[in-house]
């Protein structure tokens, strides 16, 4: 569902509500300190931005100083999220907080009920299934590893995120095709975003636009241009065996 995939109603609020407690709990761990160092470096780069929040260095001043630094990290994270920033530093910390939340059962990835049966049939027919998302590969694996359908990571042959390129650029789809050893015209790309559909088509991939509750609407031109489905059960794909 779009409310989950866009993370506006589930994952983003979880970060805002729990980032301070996460930092307090994991502060002494090296992974957490790496995240803070990356955020501090990003904050320096953002110092010219209006409202930017710098993160001071610790000088060994005790618990009170640690609490001040943690608060600065929290304020920086909230500031970046308010601007919908997608910096590596922010995404890395978010991913680690979500990992903890998934493992504790506080969050589960929402999956439409038609998805898993359809993918199983495709795989039985010899097809391979990959995820390409603006969410990081780690975030993808958490979503599908701790989903409402259980751990379904075995259904996917690989994952791609925007480190391979933006989803609105055709070259990204050519890179994916080269990476998996498949011609672009043997790929079907499913999306709910017309710009992504256009980019995939420019790379000579097949495209179907998925209409789900809550998704952004399409123009009449887009509706007539693309193949539209509202469920994976509407796809009838040729066997690759």
């Amino acid at each position: 569902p779009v409310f989950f995939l866009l993370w506006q109603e589930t994952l983003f609020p979880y970060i805002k509500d729990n980032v301070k407690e996460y930092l307090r709990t994991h502060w002494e761990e090296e992974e957490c300190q790496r995240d803070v160092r990356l955020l501090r470096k990003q904050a320096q780069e953002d110092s010219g931005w209006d409202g930017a929040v710098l993160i001071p260095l610790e000088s060994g001043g005790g618990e009170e100083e640690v609490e001040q630094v943690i608060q600065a990290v929290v304020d920086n994270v909230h500031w970046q999220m308010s601007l919908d920033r997608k910096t590596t530093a922010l995404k890395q910390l978010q991913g680690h907080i979500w990992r903890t939340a998934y493992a504790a059962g506080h969050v589960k990835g929402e999956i439409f009920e038609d998805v898993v049966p359809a993918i199983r049939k495709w795989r039985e027919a010899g097809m391979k299934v990959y995820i390409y998302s603006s969410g990081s590969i780690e975030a993808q694996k958490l979503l599908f590893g701790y989903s409402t359908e259980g751990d379904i990571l075995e259904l996917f042959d690989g994952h791609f995120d925007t480190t391979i390129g933006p989803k609105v650029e055709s070259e990204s789809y050519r890179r994916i095709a080269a990476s998996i050893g498949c011609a672009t015209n043997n790929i079907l790309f499913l999306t709910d975003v017309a710009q992504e559909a256009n980019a995939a088509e420019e790379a000579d991939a097949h495209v179907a636009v998925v209409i789900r509750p809550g998704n952004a609407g399409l123009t009449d031109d887009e509706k007539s241009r693309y193949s539209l489905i509202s469920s994976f059960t509407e796809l009838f794909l040729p066997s690759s065996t």
Side-chain angles (χ1 to χ4, degrees), residues 31-214:
E31 180 179 77
C32 184
Q33 286 300 307
R34 285 198 301 269
D35 292 345
V36 172
R37 287 195 293 270
L38 200 58
L39 283 164
R40 184 180 287 118
K41 181 180 178 182
Q42 182 65 51
Q44 288 289 343
E45 294 175 5
D46 294 340
S47 60
W49 289 51
D50 185 34
V53 180
L54 295 177
I55 301 171
L57 288 166
E58 290 181 69
S59 62
E63 292 183 8
E64 184 175 343
E65 183 186 58
V66 168
E67 192 64 25
Q68 291 174 349
V69 176
I70 287 175
Q71 187 59 54
V73 175
V74 171
D75 293 342
N76 178 278
V77 167
H78 286 179
W79 173 74
Q80 289 202 61
M81 292 178 68
S82 73
L83 298 177
D84 196 26
R85 300 288 300 285
K86 294 179 174 60
T87 64
T88 298
L90 177 63
K91 288 171 67 176
Q92 180 169 293
L93 176 64
Q94 287 174 330
H96 294 154
I97 296 174
W98 286 327
R99 181 183 63 199
T100 302
Y102 279 113
H106 297 155
V107 176
K108 287 187 179 294
E110 297 281 345
I111 306 292
F112 286 112
E113 63 181 14
D114 59 278
V115 171
V116 171
I119 294 178
R120 291 195 190 282
K121 288 182 179 178
W122 301 340
R123 290 178 62 85
E124 289 169 3
M127 299 174 204
K128 293 187 176 182
V129 181
Y130 297 85
I131 299 294
Y132 179 28
S133 173
S134 56
S136 69
I137 290 174
E138 181 177 15
Q140 296 172 39
K141 290 183 176 180
L142 288 170
L143 191 157
F144 294 111
Y146 297 93
S147 83
T148 51
E149 300 291 329
D151 183 351
I152 58 172
L153 283 172
E154 66 178 9
L155 297 181
F156 305 108
D157 293 279
H159 300 259
F160 296 93
D161 59 19
T162 51
T163 58
I164 203 156
K167 296 180 74 179
V168 295
E169 293 183 5
S170 59
E171 187 58 31
S172 303
Y173 300 87
R174 297 187 185 97
R175 292 191 191 108
I176 289 174
S179 175
I180 64 179
C182 179
T184 53
N185 63 7
N186 278 332
I187 293 175
L188 170 64
F189 177 59
L190 304 177
T191 182
D192 63 339
V193 179
Q195 285 179 298
E196 295 175 6
N198 183 58
E201 278 195 341
E202 286 182 357
D204 202 28
H206 301 278
V207 172
V209 175
V210 186
I211 308 298
R212 298 284 197 182

Side-chain angles (χ1 to χ4, degrees), residues 192-194 209-211 215-223 226 228:
D192 63 339
V193 179
V209 175
V210 186
I211 308 298
N215 285 10
L218 300 173
T219 66
D220 289 341
D221 180 61
E222 289 165 348
K223 289 177 181 177
Y226 299 111
L228 307 179

